[in-house]
Amino acid sequence: MKVLVINAGSSSLKYQLYDMREETVMASGRVERIGMDSSILTHEVPGRQEVRDVSEILDHVTAVKRVVDILVDPQHGVLSAINEIQAVGHRVVHGGESFKQSVIVTPEVKLEIRRLFDLAPLHNPAHMMGISAVEANLPNVEQVVVFDTAFHQTMPPTAYLYPIPMVLYRRHKIRRYGFHGTSHHYVSDQAAQLLGKPLSEVKMVSCHIGNGASVTAIKEGQSVDTSMGLTPLEGLMMGTRSGDIDPAIVPFTMNKEELTLSEVNSMLNKHSGLLAISGISSDMREIVQGMDEGDKNAQLAFDMYVYRLRKYIGAYAAAMNGLDVLIFTAGVGENSDRLRASVCEGLTFLGIELDEELNKKRSKEARYISTENSRIKVLVVPTNEELLIARDTYALVQQAKQA
Ligand SMILES: Nc1ncnc2c1ncn2[C@@H]1O[C@H](COP(=O)(O)OP(=O)(O)O)[C@@H](O)[C@H]1O
Ligand SMILES: CC(=O)OP(=O)(O)O
Ligand SMILES: [Mg+2]
């Protein structure tokens, strides 16, 4: 079976086409700047040269059409007809409390995703556009949605409730949901395999450090706490997001600076984090470069980022009364040995001992970066959310066929 995986954002759409027989990626790519003056489609087929196409793509329906067209293109494509795509799996960031696992898309499921627009205004409307765009272009294909929140539905109320009036939870479902669950789930499985131990025997802290960043405490293979909350703003300092701040800063700043709700939201989501402190960039590569050139603000941004991450790791070790494995994943976690070294430097009291050589080695494989004697094992595990989405999609569609 061929499964197309789609991660639709507000102005971008990433895709991967899988052949599920061997779980191979046949093609992958992304459409960027949807709805802007010139959109860019980048398409890659393993072993062939990357294709870049600049044109006007005004909406997600057109974006999916372009993706389908290039997949069947005689020169750049990998399929002879579009009906070879038998199922489409979508990443959906917010599944609220309704979805504890992936599901086949039905009218009820779509209604529920719409109901959750309020809780993930940057993400869910874009995912819904992706789903509708597939309906328009591939009308007879089964669609599956895989939620970032699903893996975290095992958290106990002590972890997911906020100490605010309970009526807000009852009326509006204000609670911690957590995100990047597909990634935390995938890397914890991979880590257990690498260790050769069942998940039931290990306490893990998984650090997904990309553009968005979150930490999860995983006990017996289940998420027991995670740093993102009602929305993907809480927790760690990120590229452009503040992470944890005193909530009183919101009304105080609104008052002093005469900001509207949407302005303060934009300040915390898009103009904070590494970008705000460094004044340079939200990209960790540029921060590290700035540090090396002696830029004090870049150094401060890096130090704050590390300090806040280290505090979460300590907190989650306490939350689980122990820690056996620390995992780094996603763009920064997989690629920045500097970040990993700095985080671990302050965690020797826990029994973490990093192997400098192993930490510096570059590889696409899951690997140890701690010394043999390190009491807590430290791993780098490349994430693969798309593969988990493809697997869930395949499994659900197979099940539906047999039913
Ligand atoms: N070699 C590197 N060193 C430091 N950071 C890196 C490196 N390569 C990528 N990154 C960081 O990874 C981030 C993207 O991570 P990624 O997980 O792909 O994010 P997302 O999926 O949220 O878009 C970039 O913003 C960049 O800061
Ligand atoms: C939920 C979230 O923050 O996702 P991303 O890291 O893709 O922005
Ligand atoms: Mg990501």
Side-chain angles (χ1 to χ4, degrees):
M1 185 188 289
K2 312 263 175 16
V3 173
L4 180 64
V5 174
I6 290 185
N7 181 352
S10 52
S11 69
S12 73
L13 186 143
K14 295 190 222 158
Y15 62 93
Q16 282 201 8
L17 180 70
Y18 279 90
D19 184 336
M20 294 311 288
R21 282 174 303 187
E22 305 267 332
E23 293 188 338
T24 39
V25 176
M26 301 174 70
S28 63
R30 59 191 183 275
V31 185
E32 288 159 295
R33 301 174 53 85
I34 299 172
M36 297 181 210
D37 46 3
S38 57
S39 316
I40 309 162
L41 169 73
T42 315
H43 176 75
E44 264 182 273
V45 175
R48 291 194 215 159
Q49 211 183 349
E50 188 180 276
V51 183
R52 262 170 78 87
D53 178 50
V54 179
S55 63
E56 197 174 67
I57 299 179
L58 288 178
D59 55 26
H60 286 67
V61 174
T62 317
V64 169
K65 169 125 189 25
R66 288 288 159 81
V67 171
V68 169
D69 284 348
I70 200 155
L71 288 172
V72 298
D73 184 83
Q75 192 186 351
H76 304 300
V78 289
L79 301 173
S80 45
I82 64 164
N83 61 12
E84 282 185 56
I85 302 172
Q86 284 155 301
V88 178
H90 294 266
R91 176 194 185 200
V92 174
V93 160
H94 220 310
E97 282 188 328
S98 322
F99 301 107
K100 296 189 180 0
Q101 52 227 345
S102 308
V103 289
I104 291 197
V105 174
T106 61
E108 294 73 37
V109 167
K110 286 194 285 186
L111 202 66
E112 192 57 25
I113 296 173
R114 277 211 184 85
R115 228 181 40 80
L116 293 161
F117 277 10
D118 262 1
L119 292 182
L122 297 179
H123 293 92
N124 273 32
H127 306 321
M128 204 53 228
M129 285 193 278
I131 295 168
S132 307
V134 170
E135 281 173 357
N137 288 286
L138 300 159
N140 298 315
V141 153
E142 287 279 23
Q143 299 198 72
V144 168
V145 275
V146 179
F147 300 95
D148 263 45
T149 44
F151 180 62
H152 300 299
Q153 281 294 302
T154 47
M155 281 188 292
T158 33
Y160 74 65
L161 286 175
Y162 291 113
I164 55 176
M166 278 299 274
V167 65
L168 293 173
Y169 172 60
R170 285 195 297 270
R171 257 191 221 155
H172 308 292
K173 295 287 174 207
I174 295 179
R175 52 161 283 181
R176 174 183 312 287
Y177 290 96
F179 301 89
H180 298 135
T182 312
S183 175
H184 291 297
H185 188 182
Y186 179 80
V187 299
S188 55
D189 278 353
Q190 292 292 110
Q193 274 182 32
L194 187 65
L195 294 161
K197 283 193 177 165
L199 278 163
S200 56
E201 285 176 16
V202 271
K203 293 173 181 169
M204 301 182 176
V205 166
S206 155
C207 307
H208 175 111
I209 318 289
N211 248 326
S214 68
V215 188
T216 298
I218 302 166
K219 198 172 168 186
E220 298 179 6
Q222 296 199 325
S223 168
V224 292
D225 203 351
T226 191
S227 60
M228 282 179 167
L230 174 74
T231 76
L233 180 57
E234 195 183 344
L236 297 172
M237 174 171 164
M238 306 177 214
T240 63
R241 295 174 228 172
S242 64
D244 297 336
I245 59 166
D246 181 345
I249 293 172
V250 174
F252 190 86
T253 311
M254 286 176 79
N255 185 31
K256 291 281 182 197
E257 296 284 323
E258 295 181 13
L259 297 183
T260 63
L261 265 179
S262 105
E263 283 165 342
V264 79
N265 242 328
S266 162
M267 173 185 94
L268 297 173
N269 277 292
K270 298 183 182 155
H271 306 282
S272 294
L274 285 175
L275 176 65
I277 302 298
S278 71
I280 298 179
S281 170
S282 63
D283 191 316
M284 187 55 89
R285 285 166 289 203
E286 291 176 33
I287 300 295
V288 170
Q289 197 188 333
M291 275 159 59
D292 288 345
E293 289 164 2
D295 187 308
K296 290 207 164 52
N297 293 332
Q299 184 71 54
L300 177 62
F302 183 85
D303 291 346
M304 285 172 66
Y305 193 91
V306 166
Y307 178 67
R308 286 171 165 249
L309 174 52
R310 200 190 284 142
K311 284 205 293 186
Y312 260 103
I313 297 167
Y316 285 173
M320 294 187 289
N321 190 20
L323 177 62
D324 305 301
V325 185
L326 177 64
I327 306 167
F328 287 98
T329 192
V332 181
E334 288 167 31
N335 295 304
S336 181
D337 54 285
R338 292 277 281 277
L339 182 278
R340 296 190 300 254
S342 302
V343 170
C344 292
E345 207 174 69
L347 294 173
T348 46
F349 80 100
L350 277 176
I352 286 184
E353 214 179 273
L354 209 63
D355 183 315
E356 272 184 47
E357 296 278 302
L358 291 180
N359 184 41
K360 286 205 172 110
K361 219 175 79 183
R362 302 193 70 81
S363 156
K364 293 234 180 291
E365 304 289 314
R367 60 195 184 275
Y368 287 88
I369 56 167
S370 48
T371 63
E372 228 164 281
N373 288 330
S374 185
R375 205 179 54 69
I376 292 171
K377 304 298 172 208
V378 187
L379 312 180
V380 175
V381 181
T383 193
N384 197 341
E385 292 154 289
E386 291 78 12
L387 178 59
L388 247 192
I389 294 172
R391 282 181 185 161
D392 272 14
T393 304
Y394 178 64
L396 281 171
V397 171
Q398 289 285 77
Q399 257 175 39
K401 273 191 186 156
Q402 279 153 17

